[in-house]
């Protein structure tokens, strides 16, 4: 079975500050890991994914995440927050044999202060 | 490529009624998964269809059922609606060679 834990449901940063959203996973097999962003009343947009290649993954909009097996973590970072980054962020885990079935965390609401 | 399309975008139903939601997968994809996202929560896996059969199911009651058609499109049916069924329902499609699923914009169901 797979699961993810996202700590700190609400995260607030100032514009230009570092964004750090934490995700820890549990998986009985080597996992695939994902970060999605969701804007109000919209679907999920993939930010980046880890699929067992490079452990440092770069995604869209300047986001990146590092897979750390020893810490079972996949934290999302962005060096400098922009007002347009304000949204809901979800971490998810799946198994390589089934891309369609993912287990999601409860999400982080990111607020960016001017 | 139109991507994953879902219909309708919004609907309102009365408690006890039945509802059908529809999903057309991304071109070339043969697997459709359905998720329920309650307000303030992450998406929860309902079930997955492949080759017109339910391949996997999450922890949802039998009131939730589905179907996949030969063209890979899919329907989600919910019977005897409860107020707690109010949520955003997301459809995701994938192919056998994909490492990720592609999500539609969702259907917002409100049960009153």
């Amino acid at each position: 079975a797979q699961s993810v834990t996202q700590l700190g449901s609400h995260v607030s940063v100032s514009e230009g500050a570092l964004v750090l959203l934490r995700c820890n996973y549990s998986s009985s097999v080597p996992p695939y890991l994902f970060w999605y962003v969701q804007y109000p009343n919209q679907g999920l947009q993939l930010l980046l994914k880890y699929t067992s290649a490079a452990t440092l993954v770069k995604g869209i909009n300047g986001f990146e995440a590092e897979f750390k097996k020893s810490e079972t973590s996949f934290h999302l970072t962005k060096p400098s927050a922009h007002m347009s980054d304000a949204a809901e962020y979800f971490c998810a885990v799946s198994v390589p044999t089934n891309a369609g079935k993912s287990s999601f965390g409860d999400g982080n609401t990111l607020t960016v202060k001017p | 490529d139109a991507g994953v399309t879902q219909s309708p975008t919004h609907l309102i139903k009365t408690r006890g009624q039945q509802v059908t939601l529809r999903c057309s997968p991304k071109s070339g994809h043969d697997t459709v998964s359905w998720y329920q996202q309650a307000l303030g929560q992450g998406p929860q896996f309902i079930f997955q269809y492949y080759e017109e059969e339910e391949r996997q199911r999450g922890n949802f009651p039998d009131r939730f059922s589905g179907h996949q058609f030969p063209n890979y499109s899919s329907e989600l049916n919910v019977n005897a609606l409860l107020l707690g069924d109010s949520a955003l329902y997301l459809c995701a499609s994938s192919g056998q060679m994909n490492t990720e699923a592609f999500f539609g914009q969702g259907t917002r169901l409100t049960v009153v």
Side-chain angles (χ1 to χ4, degrees):
Chain A
Q2 293 76 39
S3 66
V4 297
T5 301
Q6 293 181 246
L7 297 178
S9 59
H10 289 82
V11 177
S12 181
V13 301
S14 297
E15 190 173 20
L18 171 72
V19 175
L20 171 60
L21 302 180
R22 299 178 187 273
C23 173
N24 288 89
Y25 71 91
S26 174
S27 180
S28 55
V29 299
Y32 283 0
L33 293 159
F34 309 89
W35 275 99
Y36 291 90
V37 62
Q38 186 177 39
Y39 297 98
N41 297 312
Q42 293 191 23
L44 300 174
Q45 180 183 6
L46 182 69
L47 281 176
L48 47 81
K49 62 181 179 181
Y50 166 78
T51 57
S52 73
T55 57
L56 182 61
V57 180
K58 295 186 183 297
I60 63 172
N61 301 339
F63 285 94
E64 63 180 38
E66 186 172 8
F67 173 73
K68 292 186 176 180
K69 183 178 179 180
S70 61
E71 299 178 8
T72 60
S73 68
F74 190 58
H75 302 330
L76 180 71
T77 61
K78 182 175 180 177
S80 177
H82 191 272
M83 296 297 289
S84 61
D85 294 328
E88 191 80 13
Y89 291 81
F90 293 97
C91 181
V93 62
S94 73
V95 297
T97 54
N98 191 341
K101 181 184 179 185
S102 292
S103 296
F104 286 81
D106 287 333
N108 295 117
T109 302
L110 178 65
T111 302
V112 182
K113 298 175 293 185
Chain B
D1 185 1
V4 180
T5 58
Q6 294 186 242
S7 63
T9 54
H10 297 81
L11 75 166
I12 300 174
K13 289 288 188 178
T14 302
R15 193 172 36 179
Q17 286 188 315
Q18 178 265 344
V19 68
T20 297
L21 311 182
R22 295 175 175 83
C23 172
S24 293
K26 187 177 170 67
S27 178
H29 288 181
D30 57 9
T31 302
V32 173
S33 304
W34 287 92
Y35 291 81
Q36 180 195 65
Q37 186 179 15
L39 197 62
Q41 297 183 20
Q44 299 292 316
F45 176 78
I46 301 174
F47 45 50
Q48 182 180 83
Y49 277 84
Y50 171 68
E51 292 188 339
E52 302 180 50
E53 292 191 359
E54 184 181 289
R55 180 160 73 171
Q56 292 204 38
R57 190 179 183 91
N59 188 26
F60 279 80
D62 292 345
R63 297 188 298 109
F64 290 78
S65 63
H67 188 78
Q68 186 179 35
F69 299 93
N71 67 353
Y72 307 120
S73 67
S74 177
E75 290 181 347
L76 164 66
N77 301 292
V78 187
N79 295 321
L81 285 166
L82 304 173
L83 296 179
D85 295 331
S86 296
L88 180 68
Y89 288 85
L90 295 166
C91 169
S93 74
S94 54
Q96 297 311 299
M97 300 303 293
N98 290 136
T99 58
E100 68 192 75
F102 294 77
F103 283 82
Q105 291 294 92
T107 294
R108 173 71 64 184
L109 171 65
T110 302
V111 182
V112 298

